[in-house]
């Protein structure tokens, strides 16, 4: 099955290859009998797909198909959805929807194009307001894009009532990104996981697939609620 996160940016109104289109799949009329993918199915495996110690259950196999079959409500920002559902469903609910992520990411026009466990493809269209040096996208805009892609890739693996924070972000600017310009994609991918500490990378690509910037990030998974660690706690040592 092709990975929908490997297809690159997709023009508005189209569906990435291998991704699940949003909306009902049946014509109006009597409800169709749910197939196996829409039923309860077996519980997803509790094995962590990366690293050694899991921080929650990553939906795989039948669990992933079940999540793709149902339509999750957007219901405001990603923060609110992570309170009510697992991360994969929360991120998938933002796919193809404007203003469905974080307030700052929404302000910058970032949209989710495709989602798979541990991978998220974002899309933006650079505008004149995104310029730093005239005609070039500001480096801080690209850093935010990479940070968001890495964070969402990790968020797609967390259980309900957990969130993701950035501990470290390193970015290489490889080629100028025109602004205003065309559509730019950013693929965030989880590369290693050890308990609540997760490594991810992000690649910014142009319409021709050329890599324009690349980033690596250390992300921390945190529970939401009174038991969440104090934000003033010392930063953890880097993962070796």
């Amino acid at each position: 099955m092709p990975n929908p996160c490997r297809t690159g940016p997709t023009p508005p109104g189209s569906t990435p290859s291998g991704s699940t289109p949003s909306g009902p799949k049946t014509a109006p009329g009597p409800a169709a009998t749910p197939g196996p993918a829409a039923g309860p199915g077996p519980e997803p495996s509790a094995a962590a797909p990366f690293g050694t110690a899991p921080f929650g259950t990553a939906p795989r196999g039948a669990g992933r198909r079940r999540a793709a079959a149902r339509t999750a409500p957007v219901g405001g920002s990603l923060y609110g959805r992570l309170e009510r559902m697992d991360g994969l469903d929360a991120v998938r609910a933002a796919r193809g929807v404007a203003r469905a992520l974080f307030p700052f990411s929404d302000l910058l026009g970032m949209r989710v194009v495709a989602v798979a466990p541990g991978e998220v493809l974002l899309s933006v269209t650079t505008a004149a307001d995104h310029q730093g040096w005239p005609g070039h996208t500001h480096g801080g805009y690209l850093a935010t894009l990479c940070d968001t892609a890495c964070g969402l890739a990790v968020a797609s693996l967390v259980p309900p009532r957990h969130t993701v924070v950035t501990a470290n972000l390193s970015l290489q600017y490889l080629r100028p990104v025109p602004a205003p310009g065309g559509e730019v994609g950013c693929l965030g991918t989880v590369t290693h996981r050890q308990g609540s500490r997760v490594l991810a990378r992000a690649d910014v690509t142009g319409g021709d697939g050329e890599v324009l910037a690349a980033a690596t990030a250390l992300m921390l998974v945190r529970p939401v609620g009174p038991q969440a660690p104090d934000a003033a706690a010392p930063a953890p040592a880097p993962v070796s």
Side-chain angles (χ1 to χ4, degrees):
M1 173 179 177
N3 189 333
C5 287
R6 297 292 182 183
T7 59
T10 303
S14 61
T15 302
S17 174
S19 65
T20 304
S22 59
K25 297 182 179 180
T26 58
T33 302
E43 288 297 319
S45 169
F50 303 96
T52 54
F55 49 69
T57 300
R60 304 179 69 183
R64 181 167 68 246
R65 292 192 298 273
R66 185 172 69 252
R70 64 174 177 261
T71 302
V74 173
S77 74
L78 183 66
Y79 296 122
R81 295 195 298 278
L82 287 172
E83 291 268 0
R84 309 187 303 272
M85 60 183 75
D86 65 65
L88 186 62
D89 283 347
V91 178
R92 275 181 168 157
R95 186 175 52 195
V97 179
R99 305 190 69 81
L101 291 171
F102 313 103
F104 190 50
S105 302
D106 292 341
L107 182 65
L108 298 179
M110 299 180 188
R111 295 196 184 198
V112 175
V113 174
V115 183
E119 288 192 339
V120 173
L121 178 64
L122 297 180
S123 173
V124 298
T125 300
T126 58
D129 289 344
H130 303 150
Q131 292 181 97
W133 192 261
H136 294 75
T137 303
H138 193 286
Y141 182 91
L142 298 176
T144 302
L145 179 61
C146 290
D147 180 54
T148 303
C150 287
L152 292 177
V154 177
S156 72
L157 298 177
V158 304
R161 296 193 58 76
H162 282 71
T163 188
V164 180
V165 296
T166 306
N168 179 270
L169 179 71
S170 177
L171 179 61
Q172 289 184 304
Y173 300 99
L174 303 176
R175 292 171 178 82
V177 180
E183 187 179 19
V184 175
C186 185
L187 176 66
T189 307
V190 171
T191 58
H192 181 74
R193 171 174 142 189
Q194 186 174 12
S196 62
R197 299 152 64 83
V198 188
L199 294 178
R201 66 167 292 132
D203 293 309
V204 178
T205 55
D208 57 359
E210 183 179 39
V211 178
L212 307 174
T216 57
L218 170 62
M219 298 283 175
L220 307 178
V221 177
R222 292 286 184 258
V224 176
Q227 286 74 36
D230 190 336
V239 175
S240 58

